Amino acid sequence: VTIAAIFQAQGHVSVIILGSTGDLARKYLWQGFFELYTNQVNSGHSFFFYGGGLSPANKSSLVLFEILKAVNCPKDVSKERCAILKEQFLRLSRYKQLKTLEDYQDLSKNIQKQLQQEDMAEAGRLFYLSVPAFAYAEIADRINNTCRPSKGAWLRVVLEKPFGHDFKSAQVLATQLGNSLKDEEMYRIDHYLGKQVVANILQFRMENKKHLHPIWNKHYIERVEIVLKETLDVKGRIAFYDQYGVIRDVLQNHLTEVMTLLTMRLPLNLSNSREVLTNKLNIFTSLLPLSKSQAVIGQYQAYQTEVQHELNKTKDHVSLTPTFAAVLAHVDEAQYEDVPILMISGKQLDERVGYARVLFKDNVFSILVSKNVFKPVVDSEWKEVTEHKDKNITVLGLPISDYYVQTPIVQKEAYTELISRIFAGRQNSFVSTENLLASWDFWSPLLTGITTLFPRVYPGGNENKDMLDIAVKGRDLSYINEVVLIKQDQMGGQNVNNFQVMQGKFRSDEMVSGWTEELIEKLASDIEEVAEKAILESGVFHLAVSGGASPLALFHRLALHHFSFPWKYTHVWIVDERCVPLTEFESNFHSLHDHLLQHVKIPYYNIHPMPVQLNQRLCVEEDRGTWQYEEEIRKFVNASSFHFVLLGVGYDGHIASLFPGVKPEDHGENMVVLTESPVKPHQRMSLTFNAINKARKVAVLIIGKYKHEVVIQLSRVKEETTQWPVTWVKPEKGSLVWYMDYEALLG
């Protein structure tokens, strides 16, 4: 597209934003279109803006009006001029319900009527689809059948990601859209390409070609790093994020686009959209296939509870969606042979930063340029920063003064920049159908391969330390710190498959491990042994058990195989309880009763459920249920010291109903407290660390492959931490034993 072609058709432009009162439109789109209007108002174009939505006009017109009043003028516009422009923009904007085919037909009639009344030539129509992707095909069909502009005018339809979930779904969507729209009419937006630093990569490479071309190859480049680190979590976005994860959300689009800009062959003409997109496509076709060994994934610790809360899942629900990923790619071209390209992104990391870094074998080059390399040419829209307010800033390990630093003269918001490029018809800043499918073709096999992998759990923020550090080994990628929990010398040089049960150490305490069935058999035998010893010494055995899924296999084992267990002299206590009636399925006591108590001969007065329901209400502080249970413990249990306490560990590190953030001193001398769970039902009653740590023996049972990352993280946590409540379990005079099956232990 030449400059002449872009501006030859001055005339009227109709802008239609669908989803016009949504979050994206409110934050970015209307501001972007207002700035487009302020820049083009004297260009010979006239405009009209329609805010489209499913709601009727009488419900949404006022909402849109409030959004439009909030737009801001560029800094170089005077206050008086700004007031005039805003008033004009408000007058030229209107809400229009776009729900049915008839609504779209009516929209087209309104546009035609306006053109005729004002005797204006039509330049084009711009539809911005800020709506869910499932609505794209139907809307595109309606635009095609009812809202195409008059002959000679252009049509541009803007689409927001996601553009599919994998190659197959992207292909289906592309076919559906292709039935209604031409490829040159579609502008798939990746807002990352609107960021000024990203948008300037090709320009920078072109202007500094003299210096870069001789060293932009495998002989000089050690590796390429493309990184986007975020400190925020994904609260409020779980419904979307849990379906997509970090690879689909960031790597497949944003980071891949940056990778193509860094590695593609420079076009002869940067303004030639077709040449730019073709050169990008050539990189996709040269990428070597990805395998599981070229990726590592992680998930921040609180993610599971956020999923359970926002998606209304039970606490046993496990999501494998990664919130962190590092992927190693290679381009199969002589220029980049064996040059590692690392793409890394994640949530809840230690810092908020994004950068593209080309590490040379002797020096470093990035968006900042090391003064040891060369002094870059400065683009007319950029300026060199020579003074820094904080001279102690370091970048990639070097002081900021060691770099040539460039920054845009005028800071522009990404959507504002992209909207101006859509208006100008510059498609090289957008994702073509061919490039989209090529990208999904590259990423889909890896995404399929990691579907059943358990991501490494990391605490989040500065607590991550070196947990997510990675190492490149040939063409494989791995975490630097792979935790080996069982040493070969502990196994006697034998294969783990030959063992039924093994003894070892975990976090400096005794550990018992084995295949699940044998492990549960060992645990049941150990409990019976402790029971017999206690009864021999004092005539009674006090057993406190947790709820959840982990102990169910143990309950079955005790009920069906340990017929000599001394139930007559055993008192059974509850470690924690949900604040629901004991007859409900969610009750821990209900589960204990169904799976164990009803199958054994235990006196009913030896059973001690937690009094969560008193006075026909649940867990009310004034009813003193916690005090009542504490008094019951003091009455029956000598020195309030249970003989055996059985605990599990949640995916977020909680034990009993003591969740991340709690410390022993929070509950003082209390042995029973009411707590708040991050997932429903929120209210709980629980023994405290004070009560648990008085026990003679505490067992922590961890079973199942989905707990493997929990085990890895716990093995790396050296001290007590509120991130992992189980680390506060330290029996004062008794012992702590970890019972872990091989799936949890070895993954």
Side-chain angles (χ1 to χ4, degrees), residues 347-554:
K347 302 286 187 180
Q348 282 271 288
L349 300 183
D350 57 342
E351 60 181 338
R352 181 176 180 267
V353 65
Y355 62 85
R357 179 191 190 195
V358 178
L359 181 68
F360 286 89
K361 293 177 180 179
D362 296 311
N363 297 294
V364 176
F365 159 83
S366 67
I367 297 304
L368 310 176
V369 179
S370 169
K371 290 182 178 177
N372 293 327
V373 184
F374 63 89
K375 184 170 184 178
V377 175
V378 180
D379 180 83
S380 60
E381 295 185 1
W382 289 62
K383 64 181 178 181
E384 184 178 343
V385 180
T386 55
E387 294 185 7
H388 306 281
K389 293 180 181 178
D390 186 351
K391 298 186 184 298
N392 295 320
I393 293 175
T394 61
V395 179
L396 304 174
L398 296 174
I400 191 70
S401 58
D402 280 9
Y403 294 95
Y404 294 110
V405 181
Q406 296 181 15
T407 188
I409 295 172
V410 178
Q411 298 289 337
K412 299 177 183 177
E413 205 286 318
Y415 276 99
T416 298
E417 184 70 11
L418 288 172
I419 284 169
S420 70
R421 295 181 187 190
I422 295 164
F423 179 74
R426 292 172 56 187
Q427 283 205 306
N428 57 345
S429 298
F430 302 89
V431 183
S432 69
T433 301
E434 283 184 309
N435 286 25
L436 172 68
L437 295 179
S439 178
W440 275 122
D441 190 42
F442 172 67
W443 285 101
S444 290
L446 174 66
L447 289 164
T448 301
I450 65 171
T451 301
T452 57
L453 290 186
F454 286 82
R456 170 170 289 192
V457 178
Y458 57 95
N462 292 328
E463 293 293 319
N464 296 337
K465 298 180 180 176
D466 61 353
M467 281 197 66
L468 301 177
D469 288 357
I470 55 176
V472 177
K473 301 172 185 176
R475 292 199 171 181
D476 291 344
L477 188 68
S478 63
Y479 285 119
I480 287 177
N481 297 300
E482 290 292 353
V483 182
V484 180
L485 299 169
I486 304 175
K487 296 180 180 178
Q488 290 296 322
D489 57 359
Q490 292 176 325
M491 296 165 56
Q494 300 181 57
N495 188 292
V496 71
N497 292 308
N498 298 328
F499 282 82
Q500 290 190 320
V501 176
M502 295 192 303
Q503 304 292 130
K505 289 286 184 180
F506 182 74
R507 290 182 52 81
S508 302
D509 292 299
E510 185 182 346
M511 178 188 70
V512 179
S513 58
W515 298 113
T516 309
E517 187 174 346
E518 287 78 13
L519 181 73
I520 295 299
E521 183 180 340
K522 170 64 174 169
L523 176 56
S525 298
D526 288 352
I527 294 174
E528 185 168 357
E529 184 181 331
V530 173
E532 290 172 347
K533 184 178 179 181
I535 293 166
L536 187 64
E537 291 177 354
S538 59
V540 67
F541 171 57
H542 290 284
L543 170 66
V545 296
S546 285
S550 295
L552 297 185
L554 172 68

Side-chain angles (χ1 to χ4, degrees), residues 98 151 212 216 321 365 573 608:
L98 293 174
K151 189 175 180 181
L212 291 177
W216 210 254
T321 300
F365 159 83
W573 302 80
H608 304 274

Side-chain angles (χ1 to χ4, degrees), residues 249-262:
D249 190 41
V250 178
L251 276 75
Q252 180 271 328
N253 37 69
H254 303 332
L255 302 197
T256 300
E257 286 292 332
V258 174
M259 182 266 293
T260 62
L261 292 172
L262 288 171

